[in-house]
Amino acid sequence: MPASFTETAVRELAKTLAGHPGALAALIHASRLIGSDPELVLHGGGNTSAKVTTTDIFGETETLLYVKGSGMHMADIGPEGFCILRLDPIRRLKAIPDLSDNALENHLFSQRAVAGCPDPSVETLLHAFLPHRYVFHCHADAVLILAHQKEAKRMIRDVLGEKAAVLPYRHPGYPLARAVAAAHEKAPAIDTLVVLHHGIFTFGDDAGQAYARIRTCVNQAKAFIQKAVKRVPSTSAARSRRRRTPRISDTARVAQVIRGMCARRTPDGSALRRLVVSRQGPAMMDASLSREAKKICESGVLTPDHAIRTRNRMVYLDAVPEKDEALKRVVEKAVHQFRAAYMRYLYGQGRSGPEGKPPEKADPVLFLVAGLGLFAAGETPAAARIAADIGERTVIAKHRAMAMGDYRPIPAAHVRDMERWPLQTKKLKPPAAAALAGQVALVTGGGGAIGYGIARRLLSAGAAVALGDRDIPRLERGKDLLIREFGPERIASVAFDVTDFTAVQKGFDTISTLFGGVDLVVPNAGIAHVARIEDLDPKILDRTVAVNLNGTFHTIKAAIPLFRRQGTGGNIVVISSKNVFDPGAAFSAYSASKAAAHQLAKIAAMELSELGVRVNMINPDAVFGDQKTASGLWEAVGPERMRARGLSPEGLKTYYRQRSLLKTEVLAEHVGNAVVFFASEKTPTTGASLPVDGGIPAAFPR
Ligand code: ZN
């Protein structure tokens, strides 16, 4: 649908809303209250509706159903987040029990009162069939803990009172809507319905009362659980002695191995990588060490709505071997077993993916690791974070449910129906196909002009980027500028000094706890000094070598164990210099240290090919930076160079432009484009040098 048409439709909607300010403001307000409380709703779960009588363009009276759009997030929902349908033609569906999904979808599409509004929630029929003006629904943990107990029905009635009814699980859509409507017809005084293994619905003609009812039910359920859990001894006592604050290096190791095992190979051999995030709060650590940990992982989701983001099972690792190879074997076995079992669960017998069945749908998403907490893998940082948020609440809720008594999981077949239901899977929008999607990059010297330019190009190409720098204000300024352009999800900053090997190792660990690992390492940190050898202070030479050579060495060396653990290859792109091929007088400290780093990179290319890691070099010349991100290097050497050539700053830029064959200024972004080229692995290239200098014959690589 053309964008302009959608915009018109939204404007029309705004006018419709203006006719019913009270009713719709109340709907939006209640939706936001429900949607912004993680005790009630996580990431697009839950839905709300209101029914409003209005006049159509012919002057005839009609009732409209405003129902939350499918996959819309209620925390910040506005008018454009609702689907608006003519109520009567939807209600008439009650008489057609065997309507196909396609026919239902078509009918819902054709009954929109405002073209261009979003697709309606999968629970739309339920909202339409109930007579109340407002219907609210969520998957509150506390209610779900009760809804999974052996005595759920009795317990829920005792806790929530006689105005609440309890229904067994039904598939969302028509079967559930019909059952809910029948339950209400049987007991018209009820204002609350709990559907076992699914969630809670409240309804009424007053939005405030229906919202308050949800809150009260959740508070009553919480209070009941609190008391019930107190009565039984803590199930985790035996192993809680093992609980200690996890070491960052352990978390990083496990994240890197999980990330490697969750990556897929495309037919052309390149890796499709995922990002991994972790959750390590005290309740999560307790659950990971509890006797129930394995059962928590194998007993299915709290509500089927979660399965498309988390799968219906988690992987449990009850120990983390000290040796990397042993750890990889443990994770590999667990992942293979998970995939095989999940393929059978999703598609029936046949271990390898049946023709046309996407095997990636059987990849594990959540890992509970004894003593280290929960790890979540996703194709984007957002997908990993959403899975981790849902997983964290699920693990804690199930642990409480088990501590209360008996946890009765939902039968797997119900969840599978939801995981394969097109109306449900439609909620997951495929991530944009960018060249470096799923990759994580570290750029050292990330606070400088070239680092900023490289980061911008990498972010544009879909990578997640960690900037490393020892100058914290400079680092944070660069990060803020990038966040303004690309949002916070794919950007991190890690303060470390490349001259300190231990600090570099810790930097890699920190990035691995944020994104799961690193695929692209860009040693870019560098300093320069102008002095003839006769006048060069040996201490300044030492310092320059420490940053330009040792810093590059430390960065490459610290990346190697990580590449080994991931096992998915990777790229190192060393930012070398035009001076390596074409040195200048009075520039020995810089040129010599860069030449040594360049040679080091060639050796790395030879040594790391066995890991599938490519090492290439970029040789830029005279990258000045701009007002936003000045080049620290040029600020240091520019004045000397200007004096040496008797030129102003502008004159100096012109001088450099004029001396190249292409008569062009070299920008940080040009260097970034070259990094993206190498990281995209479009050519089988390693150990190569790519000049980004406008063309300088004396610096042609040889
Ligand atoms: Zn639901």
Side-chain angles (χ1 to χ4, degrees):
M1 192 172 292
S4 59
F5 185 61
T6 307
E7 279 161 28
T8 314
V10 170
R11 271 200 299 277
E12 285 303 313
L13 164 60
K15 271 191 251 161
T16 321
L17 286 168
H20 317 276
L24 291 154
L27 171 65
I28 290 170
H29 186 56
S31 303
R32 289 183 178 182
L33 286 174
I34 295 167
S36 55
D37 184 346
E39 283 188 353
L40 305 181
V41 161
L42 288 175
H43 301 297
N47 41 65
T48 53
S49 69
K51 300 176 183 82
V52 177
T53 302
T54 182
T55 314
D56 68 12
I57 55 170
F58 305 107
E60 287 167 17
T61 301
E62 68 174 355
T63 304
L64 301 179
L65 173 70
Y66 288 73
V67 63
K68 195 200 82 161
S70 182
M72 294 287 163
H73 294 250
M74 290 199 285
D76 53 1
I77 200 163
E80 69 291 343
F82 289 90
C83 178
I84 301 152
L85 299 159
R86 295 183 186 89
L87 182 63
D88 283 341
I90 310 293
R91 275 206 174 137
R92 290 181 60 195
L93 293 175
K94 225 167 116 181
I96 314 176
D98 48 6
L99 199 66
S100 71
D101 279 349
N102 282 344
L104 171 62
E105 251 194 303
N106 183 60
H107 186 70
L108 291 180
F109 201 93
S110 65
Q111 295 307 326
R112 288 171 196 225
V114 173
C117 62
D119 288 340
S121 157
V122 297
E123 325 262 22
T124 294
L125 294 184
L126 185 154
H127 289 269
F129 292 177
L130 281 171
H132 311 83
R133 183 187 289 268
Y134 295 97
V135 179
F136 299 151
H137 166 50
C138 68
H139 310 130
D141 306 346
V143 173
L144 285 169
I145 289 176
L146 301 187
H148 282 79
Q149 295 294 313
K150 188 177 169 194
E151 297 287 328
K153 212 166 172 180
R154 181 191 53 76
M155 211 179 258
I156 292 166
R157 286 225 190 90
D158 286 354
V159 176
L160 304 187
E162 60 189 20
K163 290 188 87 177
V166 182
L167 280 184
Y169 181 83
R170 293 281 161 72
H171 190 283
Y174 187 87
L176 178 60
R178 184 72 188 263
V180 165
H184 175 258
E185 277 160 24
K186 216 170 98 189
I190 57 169
D191 61 7
T192 303
L193 253 165
V194 174
V195 179
L196 298 183
H197 301 124
H198 180 158
I200 180 169
F201 296 81
T202 65
F203 28 85
D205 288 332
D206 182 289
Q209 274 173 16
Y211 168 72
R213 183 68 173 136
I214 280 206
R215 270 265 53 113
T216 308
C217 291
V218 170
N219 289 341
Q220 286 167 334
K222 273 167 66 184
F224 180 83
I225 295 161
Q226 191 93 18
K227 264 173 51 198
V229 172
K230 257 192 209 155
R231 279 202 299 271
V232 294
S234 165
T235 52
S236 60
R239 298 179 76 189
S240 66
R241 265 169 275 133
R242 270 174 60 193
R243 181 150 85 78
R244 52 175 169 74
T245 311
R247 283 190 309 220
I248 288 186
S249 56
D250 285 337
T251 307
R253 274 177 76 226
V254 171
Q256 291 156 9
V257 171
I258 287 177
R259 180 162 190 261
M261 291 300 166
C262 286
R264 288 202 153 267
R265 293 259 157 216
T266 59
D268 71 359
S270 58
L272 279 181
R273 298 166 172 103
R274 291 188 169 86
L275 295 109
V276 173
V277 301
S278 56
R279 293 285 186 274
Q280 299 180 311
M284 184 56 54
M285 302 304 282
D286 278 343
S288 78
L289 288 165
S290 71
R291 273 194 300 264
E292 291 75 21
K294 195 163 189 294
K295 201 170 147 199
I296 288 173
C297 291
E298 291 174 354
S299 54
V301 284
L302 279 182
T303 182
D305 190 56
H306 290 167
I308 53 165
R309 301 179 196 277
T310 65
R311 310 278 184 257
N312 193 31
R313 296 272 185 280
M314 307 178 199
V315 172
Y316 180 58
L317 301 177
D318 65 352
V320 177
E322 286 292 322
K323 292 250 184 328
D324 283 351
E325 284 313 306
L327 174 62
K328 280 176 82 167
R329 276 197 300 277
V330 167
V331 177
E332 184 174 25
K333 190 175 160 204
V335 168
H336 282 177
Q337 281 176 350
F338 183 98
R339 278 188 183 136
Y342 220 78
M343 284 304 282
R344 284 196 297 275
Y345 152 84
L346 277 179
Y347 308 120
Q349 292 306 319
R351 279 163 167 267
S352 60
E355 198 76 17
K357 309 285 187 200
E360 64 273 14
K361 295 233 183 285
D363 287 344
V365 169
L366 295 174
F367 294 74
L368 187 61
V369 184
L372 285 180
L374 184 78
F375 294 76
E379 288 176 41
T380 60
R385 175 176 53 81
I386 289 169
D389 287 349
I390 295 173
E392 181 173 27
R393 293 198 78 93
T394 301
V395 168
I396 295 169
K398 282 202 224 174
H399 194 212
R400 304 212 93 192
M402 288 174 190
M404 260 180 77
D406 190 20
Y407 181 79
R408 294 284 165 113
I410 177 170
H414 289 325
V415 186
R416 181 180 52 217
D417 286 349
M418 276 294 269
E419 268 187 278
R420 293 167 35 168
W421 193 27
L423 295 185
Q424 173 77 351
T425 52
K426 221 166 61 170
K427 289 183 193 170
L428 290 182
K429 298 186 177 61
L436 303 184
Q439 291 210 33
V440 182
L442 163 65
V443 183
T444 70
I450 296 187
Y452 176 77
I454 295 170
R456 273 196 77 212
R457 298 317 305 154
L458 290 173
L459 287 161
S460 296
V465 175
L467 304 172
D469 207 300
R470 72 191 180 103
D471 182 336
I472 296 174
R474 211 166 74 128
L475 181 62
E476 292 307 310
R477 201 171 53 238
K479 180 180 155 186
D480 288 347
L481 283 171
L482 291 170
I483 286 177
R484 253 179 259 163
E485 190 174 351
F486 297 96
E489 200 93 62
R490 288 186 290 132
I491 300 169
S493 62
V494 191
F496 62 85
D497 185 336
V498 292
T499 64
D500 176 349
F501 180 56
T502 312
V504 178
Q505 286 178 306
K506 284 190 182 148
F508 274 102
D509 283 348
T510 304
I511 298 164
S512 299
T513 62
L514 298 171
F515 295 128
V518 176
D519 310 288
L520 168 62
V521 178
V522 187
N524 164 64
I527 58 173
H529 184 76
V530 179
R532 298 176 67 82
I533 295 171
E534 191 178 7
D535 306 319
L536 178 61
D537 182 338
K539 287 203 188 76
I540 290 178
L541 176 69
D542 286 348
R543 176 75 195 145
T544 311
V545 168
V547 176
N548 295 1
L549 171 60
N550 299 10
T552 301
F553 168 74
H554 293 155
T555 308
I556 293 175
K557 183 176 167 65
I560 296 172
L562 179 153
F563 283 134
R564 241 179 237 292
R565 287 185 205 116
Q566 292 180 158
T568 49
N571 280 277
I572 297 174
V573 182
V574 172
I575 305 307
S576 182
S577 169
K578 161 255 171 198
N579 282 52
V580 168
F581 298 108
D582 179 23
F587 217 36
S588 59
Y590 181 78
S591 296
S593 57
K594 278 287 188 184
H598 192 92
Q599 188 76 338
L600 180 81
K602 289 182 184 173
I603 310 287
M606 295 159 77
E607 293 181 358
L608 300 186
S609 61
E610 65 178 34
L611 297 178
V613 175
R614 301 157 182 226
V615 187
N616 292 289
M617 293 76 87
I618 294 171
N619 297 65
D621 183 37
V623 180
F624 288 90
D626 53 29
Q627 292 95 329
K628 267 197 295 190
T629 49
S631 160
L633 192 141
W634 271 97
E635 274 170 7
V637 303
E640 290 287 343
R641 287 306 215 208
M642 276 151 48
R643 257 195 298 284
R645 298 196 164 93
L647 295 165
S648 67
E650 263 318 302
L652 192 71
K653 277 193 184 186
T654 310
Y655 167 81
Y656 278 106
R657 196 160 54 231
Q658 287 306 323
R659 83 172 183 183
S660 71
L661 294 172
L662 298 174
K663 309 278 182 250
T664 181
E665 191 177 344
V666 181
L667 304 175
E669 309 263 308
H670 296 143
V671 181
N673 289 336
V675 175
V676 170
F677 166 73
F678 283 126
S680 311
E681 299 189 349
K682 296 291 183 207
T683 60
T685 303
T686 190
S689 304
L690 180 61
V692 181
D693 58 6
I696 297 175
F700 286 173
R702 69 192 87 102

